[in-house]
Amino acid sequence: MDHSHHMGMSYMDSNSTMQPSHHHPATSASHSHGGGDSNMMMMPMTFYFGFKNVELLFSGLVINTAGEMAGAFVAVFLLAMFYEGLKIARESLLRKSQVSIRYNSMPVPGPNGTILMETHKTVGQQMLSFPHLLQTVLHIIQVVISYFLMLIFMTYNGYLCIAVAAGAGTGYFLFSWKKAVVVDITEHCH
């Protein structure tokens, strides 16, 4: 029993992808569950290694040849590397722009009922300052790039997924080696 009409999917040869139509449900008179527009297609939900009709972020940016896929691979790889470098650069800029360093001492209970003094260093940044404005703009850029990388990975195209992972790994390797780290091994969402 064929249920492909429920998912709006059809399967093509191994070197091609499923390509969504440019259907607008609001303008369709036959938009109902299980009926109507049989040429409506969904994006693939499994990994594949094709390079025909691969839409990359925008409907006009379509990969159709091996050369275009190679170019997209390099561009995505560099974007992922840039993303990792941007994260490290923002941390470095933040350290350099911190102002108003204060030391606060507070009593804490010690062994055998004694009281010890513990000193805390407090650093801050002024909200209406150029460094904070720069951090805000760089944060916006970082968020947009991270969503682009996520959407590229969600194409499920194996080549593009490898480009994202390899670019992020290479970027981390190149830019993070000097970073004084406390590693949070649970952090996977940037």
Side-chain angles (χ1 to χ4, degrees):
M1 181 180 229
D2 180 22
H3 290 285
S4 64
H5 66 279
H6 287 291
M7 301 290 267
M9 299 179 77
S10 66
Y11 297 94
M12 295 182 233
D13 66 64
S14 64
N15 207 19
S16 65
T17 64
M18 292 168 278
Q19 182 178 14
S21 68
H22 298 283
H23 166 74
H24 300 283
T27 60
S28 173
S30 64
H31 183 70
S32 64
H33 179 72
D37 197 2
S38 63
N39 66 351
M40 178 72 176
M41 299 169 87
M42 296 177 65
M43 52 185 275
M45 299 305 284
T46 58
F47 290 98
Y48 67 98
F49 284 90
F51 55 83
K52 301 268 188 211
N53 298 320
V54 179
E55 286 189 13
L56 185 62
L57 296 177
F58 303 100
S59 61
L61 189 57
V62 181
I63 299 167
N64 284 309
T65 67
E68 289 172 350
M69 180 56 78
F73 184 97
V74 170
V76 169
F77 181 90
L78 292 175
L79 184 65
M81 269 184 53
F82 176 74
Y83 173 76
E84 290 297 325
L86 180 60
K87 287 192 324 184
I88 301 304
R90 283 191 59 222
E91 288 177 16
S92 175
L93 282 173
L94 184 62
R95 280 192 298 277
K96 288 178 184 176
S97 68
Q98 290 175 336
V99 294
S100 51
I101 298 174
R102 292 183 307 170
Y103 294 94
N104 298 325
S105 294
M106 57 190 311
V108 294
N112 299 327
T114 60
I115 295 187
L116 302 173
M117 295 301 283
E118 190 173 274
T119 303
H120 295 276
K121 179 178 171 184
T122 305
V123 287
Q125 191 172 342
Q126 295 177 342
M127 186 171 87
L128 298 176
S129 65
F130 178 75
H132 184 63
L133 176 64
L134 180 61
Q135 281 288 340
T136 302
V137 170
L138 291 176
H139 177 73
I140 292 168
I141 293 168
Q142 181 180 339
V143 167
V144 170
I145 291 172
S146 71
Y147 280 119
F148 279 176
L149 291 171
M150 177 195 67
L151 290 171
I152 291 167
F153 203 94
M154 287 177 60
T155 64
Y156 290 99
N157 183 284
Y159 301 121
L160 297 177
C161 292
I162 290 169
V164 170
T170 303
Y172 183 86
F173 179 79
L174 293 176
F175 301 120
S176 295
W177 66 276
K178 282 204 243 181
K179 180 178 160 184
V181 297
V182 173
V183 177
D184 180 3
I185 60 170
T186 63
E187 191 260 319
H188 297 290
C189 297
H190 302 283

